[in-house]
Amino acid sequence: QVQLVESGGGSVQAGGSLRLSCAASGYTSNTICMGWFRQAPGKGREGVASIYTRFGIPYYSDSVKGRFTISQDNAKTTLYLQMDSLKPEDTGMYYCGAASSEFCRWRPLQQDDYSYWGQGTQVTVSS
């Protein structure tokens, strides 16, 4: 079992920045990828960014590429998402996920590959 706890959400104006954190605990040694996903009101959950934890290789959705940066600490137990140049369409609940499936290396934002999820942290961007 892996427990994930997100923090760092809040309300900002367009153009502003936020940094999300996700603390992982439990049996984390089998984690291959960690990722950030978001769900806007009335929409399904979508992948934002993920990282292949062994080598720190990031992957981004087109909607956030160049604005968001995913990273992890040296112990690979805390995941970060630095969000810059925020837009109103970035508004949503942001979830951290952990995957132990090797498939996440080739389809890094496929939600089905992620077995563990946090409770989410709300991000609101006003125009």
Side-chain angles (χ1 to χ4, degrees):
Q1 287 283 347
V2 176
Q3 294 78 43
L4 303 171
V5 179
E6 303 97 334
S7 61
S11 297
V12 296
Q13 291 192 326
S17 299
L18 282 174
R19 189 191 196 205
L20 306 184
S21 298
C22 172
S25 61
Y27 196 60
T28 60
S29 60
N30 277 356
T31 298
I32 296 174
C33 302
M34 292 189 73
W36 289 99
F37 298 76
R38 67 186 180 191
Q39 186 167 18
K43 295 186 177 181
R45 189 162 58 185
E46 64 170 348
V48 173
S50 71
I51 193 165
Y52 175 32
T53 58
R54 182 177 181 184
F55 296 113
I57 300 173
Y59 182 86
Y60 300 96
S61 69
D62 289 341
S63 62
V64 306
K65 200 173 295 181
R67 300 187 298 122
F68 290 11
T69 304
I70 190 171
S71 62
Q72 60 184 0
D73 68 342
N74 289 337
K76 301 182 178 61
T77 58
T78 303
L79 184 72
Y80 303 100
L81 185 68
Q82 177 66 40
M83 305 187 294
D84 299 317
S85 303
L86 283 161
K87 304 175 181 179
E89 51 263 44
D90 294 319
T91 294
M93 186 70 77
Y94 281 69
Y95 298 92
C96 172
S100 56
S101 167
E102 285 283 349
F103 289 114
C104 72
R105 295 171 57 186
W106 294 280
R107 49 188 198 191
L109 295 179
Q110 179 67 35
Q111 296 185 52
D112 291 346
D113 294 334
Y114 288 75
S115 303
Y116 303 101
W117 297 93
Q119 81 291 347
T121 186
Q122 178 68 36
V123 171
T124 303
V125 185
S126 58
S127 57

